[in-house]
């Protein structure tokens, strides 16, 4: 009788163990060789925006995606893929990063960027730079060539002096349509004109996450910040764990209302939820976008070490694109695309 009880207990134990494993089985059967996702900002982009404008965004997203995908397909590193994809977006004036950055309340352009390598938890970030053509590259240099993680303002410029990053004068960043939008906003009621909304005026931060054939996971983000930001305002983007984060499991890049993203330590929240609850990337993303942040606050892209991709926003739209080694290729603007 006793022996029977012991057997029953063992059997029950085994059954319980199997059930637990099933409920926690979040790892996909297939691991992709590489995967990449990018965003060009979240906000509200009207569905009746001029077709040529929408087409220009789609083409830019497609081009950025092909740059990163090619690097990964050829066996390059996720660090290079993220940096070069973001460089392209920074150089494209459609986006609020690098050339095309929005204006501060004083009519200047002050740029923020960060990059993080999930495999060694190393990161580099800069804020308030005014002469660096590609802030993402300076962030990478902070990570690889300095003993520090985060440089601000004059200090970041001084660090840039010691590196080979390309410098430009302030005029380079001044895109006329953005400048006029800023002038109108400053002169008027603060309302956004319809054509400004149509132009994606409030959107355009850029980000990229990627996992390469060696399994290295990287996240990067670059922005001009929020229009009319006040003296010295730092957003979520260069704050490691808020707008940009990567660990051995997942890489995340954010866009949207920086203050809200920061207050929720958003990118790190997604990574921790996934790691400690042992749930899937999509479940963690749904928790962050649906339960942590309020509607209309932010959007995120993320890739996990298996090559799963998630891109979600609660703002109505987010310029985004993704691809992987299985042939996936996706470009989207509105939430329901
Ligand atoms: N999150 C950025 C910031 O607050 C802005 C954006 O993504 O549009 O600086």
């Amino acid at each position: 009788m006793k022996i029977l009880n012991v057997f029953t207990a063992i059997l029950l134990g085994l059954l319980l163990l199997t059930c637990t494993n099933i409920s926690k089985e979040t790892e996909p059967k297939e691991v992709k060789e590489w995967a990449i996702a990018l965003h060009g900002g979240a906000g509200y982009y009207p569905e009746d925006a001029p077709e040529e404008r929408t087409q220009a965004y789609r083409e830019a997203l497609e081009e950025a995606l092909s740059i990163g995908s090619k690097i990964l397909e050829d066996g390059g590193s996720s660090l290079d893929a993220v940096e070069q994809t973001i460089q392209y977006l920074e150089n494209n004036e459609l986006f609020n990063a690098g050339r095309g950055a929005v204006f501060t309340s004083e009519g200047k352009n002050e740029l923020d960027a960060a990059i993080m390598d999930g495999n060694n938890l190393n990161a580099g970030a800069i804020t308030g730079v005014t002469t660096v053509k590609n802030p993402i590259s300076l962030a990478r240099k902070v990570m690889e060539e300095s003993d520090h993680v985060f440089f601000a303002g004059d200090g970041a410029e001084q660090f840039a002096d010691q590196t080979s990053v390309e410098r430009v004068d302030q005029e380079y960043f001044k895109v006329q349509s953005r400048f006029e939008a800023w002038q109108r906003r400053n002169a008027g009621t603060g309302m956004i004109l319809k054509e400004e909304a149509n132009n994606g005026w409030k959107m355009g931060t850029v980000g990229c996450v990627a996992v390469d054939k060696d399994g290295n996971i990287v996240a990067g983000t670059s922005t001009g910040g929020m229009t009319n930001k006040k003296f010295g305002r730092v957003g979520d983007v260069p704050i490691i764990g808020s707008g940009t984060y990567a660990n051995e499991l997942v890489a995340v890049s954010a866009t949207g209302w920086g203050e809200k993203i920061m207050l929720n330590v958003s990118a790190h929240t997604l990574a921790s939820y996934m790691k400690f609850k042992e749930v899937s990337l999509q479940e963690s993303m749904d928790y962050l976008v649906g339960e942590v942040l309020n509607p209309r606050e932010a959007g995120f892209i993320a890739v996990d070490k298996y090559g799963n991709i998630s891109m979600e926003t609660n703002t109505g739209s987010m310029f985004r694109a993704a691809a992987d080694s299985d042939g996936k290729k996706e470009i989207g603007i509105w939430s329901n695309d």
Side-chain angles (χ1 to χ4, degrees), residues 43-244:
Y44 174 63
Y45 186 72
E47 301 208 7
D48 61 353
E51 191 45 45
E52 326 79 82
R53 184 93 185 161
T54 306
Q55 195 49 30
Y57 276 113
R58 285 192 190 280
E59 280 166 19
L61 294 170
E62 177 140 22
E63 180 61 23
L65 187 66
S66 71
I67 291 170
S69 301
K70 184 166 186 326
I71 292 170
L72 295 168
E73 179 59 35
D74 291 350
S77 71
S78 46
L79 261 178
D80 286 344
V82 166
E83 182 186 9
Q84 287 180 39
T85 301
I86 291 183
Q87 271 186 0
Y88 168 82
L89 294 165
E90 287 176 337
N91 294 345
N92 187 323
E93 64 182 60
L94 285 174
F95 300 98
N96 168 22
R99 182 167 162 78
V102 296
F103 288 82
T104 67
S105 61
E106 288 150 331
K108 296 190 205 148
N109 309 97
E110 294 178 355
L111 314 171
D112 300 343
I115 195 162
M116 183 157 188
D117 185 336
N119 287 70
N120 55 19
L121 290 184
N122 206 357
I126 45 125
T127 183
V129 299
T130 55
T131 69
V132 176
K133 185 179 177 203
N134 293 111
I136 194 68
S137 300
L138 185 60
R140 182 172 177 179
K141 293 217 177 282
V142 173
M143 178 171 80
E144 292 178 338
E145 296 177 18
S146 85
D147 296 329
H148 304 292
V149 170
F150 195 0
F151 284 112
D154 288 347
E157 297 285 340
Q158 266 181 49
F159 175 71
D161 292 344
Q162 297 170 16
T163 73
S164 56
V165 294
E166 192 174 341
R167 311 296 278 279
V168 288
D169 62 37
Q170 271 274 302
E171 282 302 299
Y172 168 81
F173 298 110
K174 190 169 168 180
V175 169
Q176 201 53 29
S177 55
R178 292 237 191 235
F179 187 61
E180 283 165 13
W182 171 81
Q183 279 179 321
R184 269 198 299 270
R185 195 177 155 98
N186 259 13
T189 57
M191 269 170 55
I192 302 166
L193 299 181
K194 186 156 193 293
E195 70 266 25
E196 288 163 0
N198 279 351
N199 284 340
W201 177 82
K202 285 202 81 177
M203 301 169 68
T205 289
V206 307
C208 182
V209 291
V211 55
D212 62 28
K213 289 183 178 175
D214 293 326
N216 296 313
I217 309 188
V218 170
T221 319
S222 180
T223 187
M226 288 181 90
T227 298
N228 260 344
K229 65 183 182 182
K230 294 239 161 56
F231 29 79
R233 181 261 189 189
V234 180
D236 59 298
V237 166
I239 296 181
I240 297 305
S242 284
T244 309

Side-chain angles (χ1 to χ4, degrees), residues 12-64:
L12 272 174
L14 280 173
L15 200 68
L16 206 70
L17 212 67
T18 319
C19 289
T20 317
N21 278 343
I22 288 170
S23 71
K24 291 211 165 171
E25 194 175 331
T26 55
E27 297 182 9
K29 297 276 172 298
E30 280 172 49
V31 176
K32 276 119 196 163
E33 279 199 305
W34 58 264
I36 184 168
L38 62 94
H39 70 74
Y44 174 63
Y45 186 72
E47 301 208 7
D48 61 353
E51 191 45 45
E52 326 79 82
R53 184 93 185 161
T54 306
Q55 195 49 30
Y57 276 113
R58 285 192 190 280
E59 280 166 19
L61 294 170
E62 177 140 22
E63 180 61 23

